[in-house]
Amino acid sequence: MASRFGQVEPRRRARAFVLGLLAELPRKNCWTTAEHAGDSSPAGMQHLLSRASWDADGVRDDIRDFVVEHLGNQGAVLVVDETGDLRKGTASVGVQRQYTGTAGRIDNAQVAVYLVYSTPAGHAAIDRRLYIPRSWTQDPDRCRAAGIPDHTGFATKPALATEMITQALDAGVTASWVTGDEV
């Protein structure tokens, strides 16, 4: 994945971030991953995730290819699932009061749809899409302030799942079937 980072610093920071996510930390956020990496503040991790220049879709493709190469199985299953992360405030992209299984209720949350590749040898996430509610896409000023590209329109969670499944199959991922929860 090194080629997906134009500079050394974001590449090193990404490595430290992933190691933090894999560590047995009580909570995983920019503060805890930064502390795990030996940083005195979360600023570097926050910069990586919000402002640093790197090819996130390329990293996704590299991870997908790695997972399929190591777990590949003709009977693989693609699993679609949404996950909500509780958020305070209203500035994080896509945040609004909405149902999230994480809380088991309607709460202020950011929701993403994930695609997982699953075989008897193991499973791993191979794609993701952030769900941006219609209330966001109908407010161009809010989208612009949050850094959402102007061409981004509303898409339902099933539409996001369809995009990911299509992209995976077009990339040569083979699966015998697809499953997910009620979405």
Side-chain angles (χ1 to χ4, degrees):
M1 289 185 270
S3 66
R4 305 301 185 174
F5 298 86
Q7 298 179 346
V8 172
E9 180 53 33
R11 182 172 63 236
R12 287 182 182 154
R13 182 80 56 196
R15 180 183 186 280
F17 185 75
V18 170
L19 290 174
L21 292 176
L22 295 173
E24 292 189 31
L25 301 173
R27 290 195 68 202
K28 294 179 182 171
N29 55 42
C30 283
W31 268 107
T32 59
T33 56
E35 288 172 349
H36 183 264
D39 297 340
S40 60
S41 81
M45 296 297 180
Q46 290 169 337
H47 176 77
L48 171 72
L49 298 176
S50 63
R51 296 178 304 281
S53 178
W54 54 286
D55 183 359
D57 289 338
V59 169
R60 179 225 31 229
D61 295 345
D62 292 344
I63 290 170
R64 179 197 61 227
D65 295 346
F66 179 87
V67 166
V68 171
E69 178 183 340
H70 289 83
L71 300 179
N73 184 304
Q74 290 298 323
V77 176
L78 295 176
V79 182
V80 177
D81 193 21
E82 67 172 284
T83 299
D85 293 312
L86 299 178
R87 295 280 188 248
K88 294 180 181 176
T90 58
S92 295
V93 176
V95 166
Q96 72 172 17
R97 290 190 53 75
Q98 56 192 318
Y99 178 81
T100 172
T102 305
R105 64 182 185 278
I106 294 174
D107 208 328
N108 210 42
Q110 186 179 52
V111 175
V113 180
Y114 293 93
L115 182 64
V116 172
Y117 182 81
S118 181
T119 74
H123 64 278
I126 60 169
D127 205 349
R128 79 291 176 249
R129 295 287 191 283
L130 183 61
Y131 172 70
I132 303 173
R134 192 180 309 273
S135 64
W136 274 76
T137 59
Q138 291 178 338
D139 187 343
D141 293 333
R142 186 178 190 190
C143 287
R144 203 169 297 111
I148 299 172
D150 290 336
H151 60 81
T152 304
F154 174 74
T156 64
K157 294 169 194 170
L160 296 173
T162 301
E163 286 176 19
M164 291 187 294
I165 294 164
T166 300
Q167 189 169 21
L169 296 175
D170 287 348
V173 174
T174 58
S176 59
W177 49 288
V178 177
T179 187
D181 63 14
E182 69 272 5
V183 171

